[in-house]
Amino acid sequence: MTRARARGLWALLLVALVAAAVAPGALVLAQGGTLTSRSDLVGLYALRGSLGLRARDWPRRADPCAAWAGVGCRAGRVVSLSVAGLRRTRLARLSPRFDVDGLRNLTRLEAFSAAGFGLPGSIPAWLGAGLAPTLQSLDISACAVSGEIPASALLGLGNLTTLNLAGNQLSGQLPATALPRLTRLRTLNLSRNAFSGALPHAVWSLPGLSVLDVSRNNLTGALPTPGLALPANAQVVDLSGNFFYGGVPETFRRLFAQVLLANISGNYFDGELGVSDGGGGNVSFQLNCFLDVLGQRTQVDCQQFYASRGLPYDGPVIPPAPQPAPSPVRKKHKNLKYILIGAIGGGLLLIAVVAAIVFCFVCSGSTGRRNHQRESGASPSAPSGVSATGTAAATGGTQPSALSANTVKVGDSFAYDQLVNATSGFGENRLIKHGHSGDLYHGVLQDGTAVVVKRITSRVPRKDAYLAELDLFAKGVHETLVPLLGHCLDKEEEKVLVYRFVRNGDLSNALHRKSREENEGLQSLDWIKRLKIATGVAEALCYLHHECSPPMVHRDVQASSILLDDKFDVRLGSLSKVCPQEGEGHQNVITKLLRFSSTADQGSSGSPSATCPYDVYCFGKVLLELVTGRLGISASNNAATSEWLDATLRHDARYTLLYL
């Protein structure tokens, strides 16, 4: 069986198992009957208001059991509720939150699903005691839920058979006191979060557990020692993409042999697996530290992992490289050695004195020349570091192959494997977009920090463009620029930059809707937020143009390069094209306005102009996009856009407005 076919079979089996795990219990998800409970009606209307559901899905003056989408009833009571696939009103979309207090009134509820429905915020502590004791299925996967799971949120759910929290931003340790009490649990899916610490051993003793998926987290620890009563009807076990270590006990080898699917890849299990054929094709164990199978991590990687945690490593230990033995010193050459040291030291001291004198003369001459250039309007020569890199980026020339000392100190230095684990192996499901300077991935570090990882490979036309960003940040960190956390520059053919995740994405996504449904045009970003965004972009360009020496040009100012944090403060991104301004002195406003038309034309030719007026021209198009709501103005330089600008604004007003 080929690997692709095996993966497809795995996916089909997993879907079938999850469906089979939910099916028992006769949960009624279909609509029908008439609602007779006053308490249930109050709870549904409370949810309608707190979640901001649209009237087309939950219409007023209509029986919820008969006309409300996702509401299932039996004997006049609500027994199932699903808001998956429903939409919020435009006002509610501005401030979504985890507000489901209305569920407390549904005392006969057996199933609740909000899969894919945004519920940003933390799980309330009252959830376990507030939900109905009859609840059997709870699915809040891919809902943007964050924070830790309070132990009280699961206590009281003794009849729960399905718990799905996958694809959120949950962190912290798993509640070791609450999970073992879910004795009827058949499906437990905690994958694609940022949980840390150990997986409670008591989870393995849940008698009815059939599907266990804790993949793509930061869990660690060893598998339980022999003697633990493992679930007899386990069918799917997925521990991949974590930091589990140690050997695989014999009891687990037997468990892996009996399940339909088992995945322990992407961990640090060591020793000998003893299942070289993969248990008949149902076990995946790549990227571990096993000694008797192929496709494992390097010995250096495994050894460093165990050494950093002070754990015994069951594998070959690579000894450190031997240091060359010092050559013996003969006594009869002692006097000669001291004479040579004295001569060399005196010579170096003399050279240092001469160099200091020459340096003083050079500095005084350079100061005079710079003062003369300021008076005459000439631009000073570009210094090393950011200037050299930016000039190479602007002219298309070659860039330096080695990084300066200041550049290496920018941010933290990440290990490549750490970023691979944070992005699930740079998986397609973590890909944000293919940028012009690298591929952007969403990731979560081991400490739970959400990040955006830029991967620069041979696919990128200008692989050295990342040097411009590092050199810019080496000059200083400004609050209006995208926060750079660090980098990984270990690999020759692949470079990685790590930024802090900006929650509200870029301006193009925040301002415009992607759906084609009716009434889904311009989003109601209020004018206060739009003014705040415009001011933030202006402050970022002011920093680049007037506070950097020499003035720096962004060359890619458009809605997609303007990132917004959770308070809609601007974080200017797409910094790979930043470079020093070409031949720009201290010009007056009239001179800049006269050059403005030609600057804009240079930018429309396909090669962005390295002048500050071009940035201001692009900023003007961003302002028009903010004011008019016309999609894609800032990203387009074609003739149609220029014609529209000419037809919309008078010629003189266009340039004056966009510049000022």
Side-chain angles (χ1 to χ4, degrees):
M1 179 184 296
T2 64
R3 181 173 298 180
R5 184 180 177 187
R7 284 199 297 266
L9 180 59
W10 279 44
L12 290 175
L13 288 174
L14 182 59
V15 172
L17 285 169
V18 173
V22 177
L27 302 183
V28 178
L29 298 179
Q31 298 168 330
T34 302
L35 185 64
T36 59
S37 171
R38 174 74 177 176
S39 174
D40 287 5
L41 185 63
V42 170
L44 289 176
Y45 270 95
L47 288 171
R48 187 182 187 275
S50 63
L51 298 180
L53 299 179
R54 298 184 303 179
R56 69 175 65 178
D57 296 323
W58 286 20
R60 292 181 179 274
R61 300 185 182 88
D63 189 285
C65 292
W68 285 20
V71 177
C73 302
R74 184 192 307 126
R77 301 297 301 272
V78 177
V79 295
S80 66
L81 180 62
S82 175
V83 296
L86 302 185
R87 301 286 300 278
R88 285 186 166 95
T89 62
R90 181 172 300 177
L91 182 62
R93 287 196 292 269
L94 296 177
S95 58
R97 60 189 185 277
F98 199 124
D99 191 352
V100 292
D101 286 12
L103 292 176
R104 299 188 186 193
N105 291 68
L106 308 180
T107 57
R108 299 287 181 86
L109 190 65
E110 298 177 9
F112 175 68
S113 174
F117 187 88
L119 294 174
S122 56
I123 298 178
W126 60 261
L127 197 68
L131 293 179
T134 57
L135 190 70
Q136 300 178 34
S137 177
L138 178 61
D139 185 353
I140 51 176
S141 59
C143 295
V145 185
S146 58
E148 300 184 6
I149 301 179
S152 59
L154 298 181
L155 296 176
L157 301 178
N159 288 319
L160 202 64
T161 61
T162 299
L163 177 60
N164 189 353
L165 305 178
N168 286 295
Q169 303 165 20
L170 294 167
S171 58
Q173 297 189 355
L174 297 174
T177 59
L179 283 176
R181 299 190 182 185
L182 305 178
T183 55
R184 297 190 178 183
L185 202 61
R186 291 196 293 270
T187 299
L188 177 60
N189 191 346
L190 306 176
S191 63
R192 292 176 288 120
N193 281 284
F195 292 117
S196 57
L199 178 66
H201 286 178
V203 171
W204 298 104
S205 298
L206 294 175
L209 192 63
S210 177
V211 175
L212 174 64
D213 189 351
V214 294
S215 60
R216 303 185 192 180
N217 280 283
N218 298 317
L219 297 173
T220 186
L223 294 177
T225 56
L228 187 69
L230 298 175
N233 57 345
Q235 299 297 317
V236 175
V237 176
D238 194 343
L239 309 179
S240 62
N242 284 283
F243 296 94
F244 292 114
Y245 55 81
V248 178
E250 182 62 31
T251 51
F252 277 88
R253 295 178 189 175
R254 293 196 297 266
L255 174 67
F256 293 154
Q258 76 183 37
V259 299
L260 293 178
L261 298 174
N263 190 354
I264 59 174
S265 60
N267 287 285
Y268 287 88
F269 292 114
D270 64 352
E272 295 186 356
L273 179 63
V275 189
S276 59
D277 62 345
N282 64 331
V283 180
S284 178
F285 44 77
Q286 287 76 25
L287 288 180
N288 279 283
C289 299
F290 293 122
L291 302 176
D292 55 343
V293 290
L294 301 176
Q296 303 301 296
R297 299 180 185 271
T298 64
Q299 294 182 4
V300 175
D301 186 9
C302 296
Q303 184 176 335
Q304 289 178 349
F305 174 85
Y306 279 85
S308 64
R309 290 163 172 76
L311 301 170
Y313 173 47
D314 186 4
V317 177
I318 301 177
Q323 299 295 328
S327 58
V329 180
R330 299 178 181 178
K331 293 183 179 180
K332 62 181 179 180
H333 292 299
K334 280 188 175 181
N335 293 334
L336 179 60
K337 178 181 69 175
Y338 294 136
I339 293 173
L340 290 175
I341 291 176
I344 294 173
L348 292 176
L349 180 60
L350 179 60
I351 293 173
V353 172
V354 174
I357 295 173
V358 174
F359 179 74
C360 292
F361 279 107
V362 172
C363 287
S364 62
S366 299
T367 303
R369 286 193 299 271
R370 283 196 299 268
N371 293 334
H372 176 71
Q373 287 171 343
R374 290 193 185 97
E375 295 174 359
S376 62
S379 175
S381 60
S384 61
V386 62
S387 303
T389 304
T391 303
T395 60
T398 58
Q399 296 180 350
S401 59
L403 297 173
S404 65
N406 290 336
T407 301
V408 174
K409 295 179 181 179
V410 174
D412 296 329
S413 180
F414 291 90
Y416 184 77
D417 287 343
Q418 182 181 3
L419 300 180
V420 170
N421 290 329
T423 58
S424 301
F426 296 108
E428 289 294 330
N429 59 327
R430 293 295 185 95
L431 180 65
I432 299 176
K433 67 176 181 178
H434 295 292
H436 56 75
S437 62
D439 297 336
L440 299 179
Y441 295 86
H442 179 266
V444 179
L445 299 180
Q446 189 172 358
D447 61 358
T449 302
V451 295
V452 173
V453 178
K454 179 191 287 187
R455 186 187 189 195
I456 302 105
T457 62
S458 58
R459 187 191 67 82
V460 179
R462 290 170 46 243
K463 293 191 293 183
D464 289 340
Y466 70 95
L467 292 173
E469 297 188 55
L470 294 180
D471 285 340
L472 176 63
F473 284 107
K475 296 173 71 71
V477 179
H478 195 264
E479 61 181 4
T480 58
L481 301 183
V482 58
L484 179 73
L485 298 182
H487 49 72
C488 176
L489 309 176
D490 299 336
K491 293 181 175 290
E492 181 67 25
E493 71 284 356
E494 183 175 340
K495 308 297 180 183
V496 184
L497 301 182
V498 183
Y499 311 89
R500 186 177 297 279
F501 177 73
V502 182
R503 185 171 299 276
N504 280 324
D506 59 53
L507 177 60
S508 61
N509 287 325
L511 187 61
H512 301 301
R513 288 294 181 193
K514 301 301 182 184
S515 174
R516 295 183 179 179
E517 296 183 10
E518 58 179 343
N519 300 325
E520 295 293 340
L522 184 63
Q523 212 183 90
S524 57
L525 268 181
D526 58 69
W527 291 109
I528 299 298
K529 288 190 178 71
R530 298 190 197 197
L531 179 60
K532 184 177 183 180
I533 293 169
T535 304
V537 180
E539 290 175 350
L541 294 180
C542 182
Y543 166 73
L544 294 174
H545 294 177
H546 300 288
E547 298 182 33
C548 291
S549 180
M552 306 301 293
V553 185
H554 187 277
R555 301 201 302 159
D556 193 22
V557 179
Q558 56 178 291
S560 62
S561 63
I562 299 170
L563 307 178
L564 306 173
D565 65 9
D566 52 354
K567 296 181 181 180
F568 287 90
D569 289 326
V570 168
R571 299 291 183 263
L572 190 61
S574 298
L575 302 175
S576 61
K577 294 184 179 180
V578 171
C579 69
Q581 181 169 213
E582 295 176 348
E584 176 72 5
H586 291 275
Q587 301 174 349
N588 54 37
V589 174
I590 301 300
T591 305
K592 291 181 178 180
L593 287 175
L594 291 175
R595 292 186 56 202
F596 206 71
S597 178
S598 61
T599 302
D601 293 338
Q602 289 172 1
S604 64
S605 65
S607 178
S609 176
T611 58
C612 293
Y614 178 69
D615 275 357
V616 180
Y617 174 74
C618 295
F619 175 47
K621 293 198 293 183
V622 172
L623 292 179
L624 283 177
E625 193 163 347
L626 272 172
V627 172
T628 64
R630 184 180 175 91
L631 281 73
I633 293 178
S634 61
S636 176
N637 287 317
N638 55 28
T641 303
S642 299
E643 291 177 3
W644 182 84
L645 290 173
D646 291 334
T648 304
L649 300 174
R650 292 181 57 189
H651 188 270
D652 295 337
R654 170 188 171 190
Y655 292 116
T656 304
L657 171 64
L658 294 182
Y659 181 76
L660 299 177

